[in-house]
Amino acid sequence: MKSQIILSVHQPNYLPWLGYFNKIMKSDIFVILDDVQVPRGCSVANRNQIKGINGNEILLTVPLKKAAEGIRFYNNATIDYEQSWQQKHIRNLQENYRKAEFFGEFSPTIFTLLEKQYDSLAALNTALIMHFIDLFGIKTKIVVESEVNADLGMSNERIINLCKHFGANTYFSGQGARKYNDPELYEQAGITLTYQEYVHPIYRQLHGEFMPSMCVVDLVFNEGAKSGEIIAW
């Protein structure tokens, strides 16, 4: 019987939520889609949320420069370093998490990554994502799409070709892609289409009632080395 080889994909979002890393954990191969278009306006591509000391959501946004053609891809979206967003993000993290048990242990490396200047949004986000992958001890093979030397096509064809390129026979999709996936195309290609069923864990969290769907630093500063186990739950 042929063994199952699971592939999943996702855009390189800014400081992703826990489900992002759960998807990586449950895959054999994870492809970072850096060669796709960044949504217009602010989105999880360049913005995410932390929990404030008043129990409110605080948004951290990475400002992007306008593209000459009006279309930006993750791997060529230019970050606006003329704005002092790095200091603002670090200050917000310090103000709202300084009393978290593991803030002192895990914040220095995260701050060092945030303080650097990157050539693109994809470079920034991927550096942060790879840091947390290492921190959680994830052994999944990580691939950057733009480094794949193949004509992948678009939409469902793109994913199917990625599966074929890496010898995967199962595509592990997020729930949000259901309306875009064409099950017949996957079946014709001999690829099993499955969906992530992620139940958000409840963990120790400062500042009142638990709030789900915070970015990954909320978990790390509160739970430290246990974070990987909690994400895998």
Side-chain angles (χ1 to χ4, degrees):
M1 183 177 177
K2 190 176 180 180
S3 61
Q4 185 183 43
I5 301 175
I6 302 170
L7 179 141
S8 64
V9 306
H10 213 292
Q11 298 90 338
N13 293 339
Y14 182 59
L15 293 173
W17 77 303
L18 310 190
Y20 190 102
F21 294 97
N22 176 267
K23 180 194 274 191
I24 299 174
M25 287 178 175
K26 294 185 180 299
S27 305
D28 298 299
I29 305 160
F30 179 75
V31 181
I32 296 176
L33 297 178
D34 67 327
D35 199 20
V36 297
Q37 189 173 339
V38 176
R40 293 182 183 275
C42 288
S43 69
V44 289
N46 64 319
R47 180 178 67 186
N48 223 316
Q49 57 196 14
I50 61 172
K51 186 178 182 183
I53 56 177
N54 296 319
N56 56 315
E57 293 180 0
I58 296 174
L59 293 175
L60 304 181
T61 303
V62 179
L64 302 177
K65 292 186 177 180
K66 291 184 178 181
E69 298 81 13
I71 298 176
R72 292 176 296 204
F73 290 77
Y74 283 82
N75 58 7
N76 66 15
T78 306
I79 298 170
D80 187 356
Y81 284 107
E82 293 180 5
Q83 299 187 43
S84 58
W85 66 270
Q86 294 158 292
Q87 292 77 13
K88 181 179 178 181
H89 289 200
I90 290 172
R91 186 170 61 252
N92 269 306
L93 292 170
Q94 290 172 329
E95 290 175 353
N96 294 286
Y97 290 102
R98 65 181 183 274
K99 293 185 178 179
E101 182 175 351
F102 298 98
F103 175 80
E105 181 177 354
F106 292 98
S107 60
T109 303
I110 295 171
F111 291 172
T112 297
L113 290 170
L114 288 174
E115 288 170 343
K116 294 180 180 179
Q117 292 199 8
Y118 299 84
D119 293 334
S120 67
L121 178 65
L124 164 66
N125 292 354
T126 300
L128 289 165
I129 289 166
M130 292 304 299
H131 168 67
F132 291 109
I133 286 173
D134 290 341
L135 180 63
F136 302 147
I138 299 173
K139 303 303 182 184
T140 301
K141 179 178 180 178
I142 309 298
V143 178
V144 177
E145 182 199 19
S146 62
E147 297 175 0
V148 177
N149 186 22
D151 183 8
L152 298 171
M154 302 295 291
S155 191
N156 287 270
E157 180 188 12
R158 187 187 214 118
I159 305 303
I160 289 169
N161 283 332
L162 281 169
C163 288
K164 290 180 177 179
H165 183 82
F166 291 105
N169 50 25
T170 300
Y171 173 53
F172 187 46
S173 174
Q175 291 290 342
R178 274 188 185 272
K179 57 185 177 182
Y180 304 110
N181 292 336
D182 187 335
E184 290 186 6
L185 290 178
Y186 287 92
E187 185 176 359
Q188 291 169 10
I191 297 168
T192 302
L193 176 61
T194 62
Y195 287 93
Q196 183 183 27
E197 301 284 350
Y198 187 59
V199 178
H200 199 293
I202 296 176
Y203 54 87
R204 289 187 300 164
Q205 196 182 65
L206 298 176
H207 317 313
E209 186 176 346
F210 181 80
M211 294 174 64
S213 302
M214 297 295 103
C215 75
V216 64
V217 297
D218 184 79
L219 171 66
V220 171
F221 290 156
N222 283 299
E223 292 286 4
K226 292 172 51 181
S227 297
E229 298 175 18
I230 292 170
I231 289 173
W233 179 39

